[in-house]
Amino acid sequence: MSTYPNISALTALLTEKSRAAILAALMDGKFHTASELAYMASIKPQTASFHLAKLEENNLVICEKNGRFRYFRLANDEVANTLEIFMSISPPPEVRSLTQSSQLKRLENARTCYDHLAGRVGVNITNLMQEAGYIERNNNKFIVTAKGELFFRDLGVDLVGLSKKRRSFSHACLDWSERTHHIGGALGNGLFERYIELGWIETKANSREIIITPRGKSGFKDFFGLKI
């Protein structure tokens, strides 16, 4: 009898394409109904409900009830991190249309990774902050330097408040499209929320795609030296 965790139970859940599609859709970090997830996964609502029950039973998603509606979201950022790693070592999607190609390019440029910014923009920002000496890589996490504390204060990011959250502060999250790391954890989420407050980015309904606004293009250039 094996004394190790049953990895096959997890992989069995992911081998079903519809369940995998639902989990990928939930990587936007938002709550969704079974009908919304069915639409995004191109399956029937009844099928989505069946798969969501399995995922909730195995602690991959959580459900909250509001009146007669039930809303689903990934259980936590650890689940999201695991899924992002799986995506980074999985074969790329087979592109069969111009529309699909355009969607993929937009996702590769900027998207949500649960509750923080990922894609080319997220990775480039991380790299530029390291080059500027605001953060330093230490194994699987990023450390904010003294210079970085001043930078984040000027940007309006509350490092003290973020450090009090019951989660990883600033882990290095493997980006599935760029195959390198961006900032995750509480700091990644704090930056993401600040970008939204400043009007630099916008989210899209039922999509992980992130839109960089004209104000964002100026802001990212001024604060990070990033040309988009």
Side-chain angles (χ1 to χ4, degrees):
M1 180 179 295
S2 174
T3 58
Y4 297 108
N6 187 4
I7 298 176
S8 62
L10 172 62
T11 55
L13 289 170
L14 300 179
T15 54
E16 210 293 321
K17 290 186 177 181
S18 296
R19 274 198 291 267
I22 288 173
L23 289 170
L26 287 171
M27 284 289 286
D28 64 0
K30 301 176 183 177
F31 278 99
H32 293 283
T33 65
S35 296
E36 290 172 338
L37 292 167
Y39 173 78
M40 288 186 276
S42 301
I43 56 178
K44 295 180 179 179
Q46 298 91 330
T47 305
S49 295
F50 169 78
H51 290 313
L52 286 165
K54 285 285 186 181
L55 295 171
E56 184 180 8
E57 179 184 338
N58 286 273
N59 302 314
L60 294 181
V61 304
I62 58 174
C63 176
E64 287 192 11
K65 295 181 180 179
N66 187 354
R68 63 188 182 90
F69 294 104
R70 302 177 74 220
Y71 295 87
F72 298 88
R73 192 181 73 176
L74 291 182
N76 50 54
D77 59 332
E78 291 182 354
V79 172
N81 295 340
T82 302
L83 291 174
E84 189 79 356
I85 292 172
F86 270 107
M87 290 178 178
S88 70
I89 60 177
S90 299
E94 184 178 346
V95 178
R96 298 182 177 180
S97 68
L98 182 60
T99 298
Q100 185 183 6
S101 176
S102 298
Q103 291 174 340
L104 180 59
K105 288 179 180 178
R106 291 195 296 269
L107 285 175
E108 289 176 340
N109 184 60
R111 64 179 182 278
T112 52
C113 177
Y114 188 54
D115 62 359
H116 55 269
L117 184 63
R120 189 175 302 109
V121 173
V123 167
N124 286 343
I125 288 173
T126 301
N127 291 340
L128 287 168
M129 284 197 289
Q130 288 186 87
E131 292 172 7
Y134 302 145
I135 58 174
E136 295 177 352
R137 177 76 181 276
N138 182 7
N139 295 323
N140 64 342
K141 61 183 179 181
F142 292 102
I143 305 297
V144 178
T145 65
K147 184 178 180 181
E149 291 178 0
L150 297 175
F151 171 78
F152 287 116
R153 184 190 65 186
D154 292 342
L155 185 58
V157 177
D158 180 12
L159 294 179
V160 175
L162 293 175
S163 66
K164 294 179 180 179
K165 293 190 175 183
R166 299 179 61 183
R167 60 182 297 186
S168 165
F169 176 68
S170 58
H171 66 262
C173 186
L174 183 59
D175 193 282
W176 68 258
S177 58
E178 295 300 297
R179 307 300 171 97
T180 186
H181 297 87
H182 58 252
I183 296 179
L187 180 57
N189 177 241
L191 285 166
F192 183 81
E193 295 294 336
R194 185 57 178 152
Y195 300 154
I196 292 178
E197 290 175 359
L198 292 169
W200 291 5
I201 63 173
E202 295 176 353
T203 60
K204 289 187 66 175
N206 299 332
S207 174
R208 293 179 62 186
E209 180 187 342
I210 290 296
I211 299 171
I212 310 297
T213 66
R215 184 182 298 177
K217 291 180 179 180
S218 298
F220 285 124
K221 182 180 179 181
D222 293 340
F223 271 84
F224 298 98
L226 177 62
K227 296 181 180 180
I228 301 176

